[in-house]
Amino acid sequence: AQTVTQSQPEMSVQEAETVTLSCTYDTSESDYYLFWYKQPPSRQMILVIRQEAYKQQNATENRFSVNFQKAAKSFSLKISDSQLGDAAMYFCAYRRLGNTPLVFGKGTRLSVIA
Amino acid sequence: DTGVSQDPRHKITKRGQNVTFRCDPISEHNRLYWYRQTLGQGPEFLTYFQNEAQLEKSRLLSDRFSAERPKGSFSTLEIQRTEQGDSAMYLCASSFLDGQGKDTDTQYFGPGTRLTVL
């Protein structure tokens, strides 16, 4: 079974600084998708960024980028120029091909300090 | 595109009562997922539908849980004889899979229904 591990229950970052959230996963599949979702205190899950495993290029979305290391099964999220609105729970998620259910990690709570 | 909506947003019930939640997906989305999230944990998959067909159920979905999507649009999740361990946030998500099985789409989540069983 696929598993997703987020080893940092909590992280904090100063406003305007950069922070990296870690995620590792376990799968025997060669093609799959990885996601980072953000869940603010209002609790609606929002997609931050996605990565297709067959693409070697790391995905980027404005201030958010990933470091995808397929061989190491590692998928970290880097947030640059952190803003107060970035404070939230961040979940790493995996799914197989075919629009199948997501497997989530336990999350990392990110605090942004003004 | 009004997003995924869920109703009610909060539900408090006594142990042993039945509860039903509703999810309205994004209108053109043919896949609908239910997840459960307990405090301090990531969401866990419960079940999902392709149109009106229920394709998979997690082992977390005990016999007291039933989900339907009768016309391939909205879905309901019913919990019978609720237990305190059922207290959680129930999340619904939807996505679109095209006729060629093209796998490009992302799951979009609703705001969730928070269930408290006293």
Side-chain angles (χ1 to χ4, degrees):
Chain A
Q2 294 86 10
T3 58
V4 176
T5 302
Q6 294 180 250
S7 58
Q8 306 154 316
E10 295 184 358
M11 292 282 285
S12 62
V13 61
Q14 293 279 347
E15 199 174 4
E17 296 296 310
T18 296
V19 65
T20 298
L21 308 184
S22 301
C23 172
T24 58
Y25 58 95
D26 187 26
T27 183
S28 57
E29 304 284 337
S30 58
D31 284 335
Y32 46 87
Y33 290 87
L34 296 164
F35 303 83
W36 280 97
Y37 278 89
K38 170 184 177 182
Q39 192 175 42
S42 66
R43 300 193 64 101
Q44 183 144 9
M45 200 84 70
I46 303 165
L47 176 69
V48 174
I49 199 164
R50 59 180 274 162
Q51 173 81 41
E52 291 96 335
Y54 63 88
K55 291 186 177 179
Q56 294 189 351
Q57 186 173 6
N58 289 326
T60 61
E61 286 288 341
N62 300 315
R63 297 183 295 108
F64 299 88
S65 62
V66 298
N67 183 4
F68 173 49
Q69 301 289 328
K70 190 173 183 180
K73 296 181 181 175
S74 170
F75 183 61
S76 61
L77 175 70
K78 185 171 81 171
I79 306 174
S80 304
D81 185 25
S82 297
Q83 300 175 0
L84 295 177
D86 295 333
M89 285 291 290
Y90 285 83
F91 292 98
C92 179
Y94 161 99
R95 72 167 174 83
R96 294 179 287 112
L97 299 188
N99 237 345
T100 52
L102 292 161
V103 177
F104 286 88
K106 291 188 175 183
T108 296
R109 180 176 302 281
L110 178 67
S111 301
V112 180
I113 302 165
Chain B
D1 179 0
T2 57
V4 179
S5 61
Q6 293 186 245
D7 184 68
R9 295 291 305 276
H10 303 274
K11 179 70 177 179
I12 300 173
T13 191
K14 293 182 179 179
R15 188 177 54 187
Q17 297 295 305
N18 299 342
V19 295
T20 300
F21 310 142
R22 176 178 170 128
C23 170
D24 286 88
I26 293 171
S27 58
E28 66 270 23
H29 283 187
N30 50 14
R31 287 220 166 174
L32 187 148
Y33 304 78
W34 285 100
Y35 295 86
R36 182 172 70 185
Q37 185 179 21
T38 53
L39 203 60
Q41 302 293 318
E44 295 175 294
F45 165 71
L46 293 178
T47 187
Y48 81 107
F49 294 84
Q50 167 89 12
N51 300 312
E52 66 275 9
Q54 190 171 18
L55 296 188
E56 186 178 344
K57 292 191 289 186
S58 161
R59 57 179 174 77
L60 294 176
L61 211 68
S62 76
D63 291 344
R64 297 184 297 105
F65 287 70
S66 63
E68 294 183 342
R69 195 183 182 197
K71 297 182 180 179
S73 56
F74 72 91
S75 176
T76 57
L77 178 67
E78 180 183 14
I79 309 174
Q80 295 182 327
R81 306 181 303 282
T82 53
E83 301 173 356
Q84 289 184 326
D86 297 331
S87 296
M89 177 75 83
Y90 290 84
L91 298 170
C92 177
S94 71
S95 68
F96 178 73
L97 189 69
D98 71 15
Q100 286 74 45
K102 190 177 180 185
D103 188 6
T104 60
D105 266 64
T106 297
Q107 294 179 26
Y108 295 89
F109 283 81
T113 294
R114 177 177 293 285
L115 172 67
T116 302
V117 182
L118 302 175

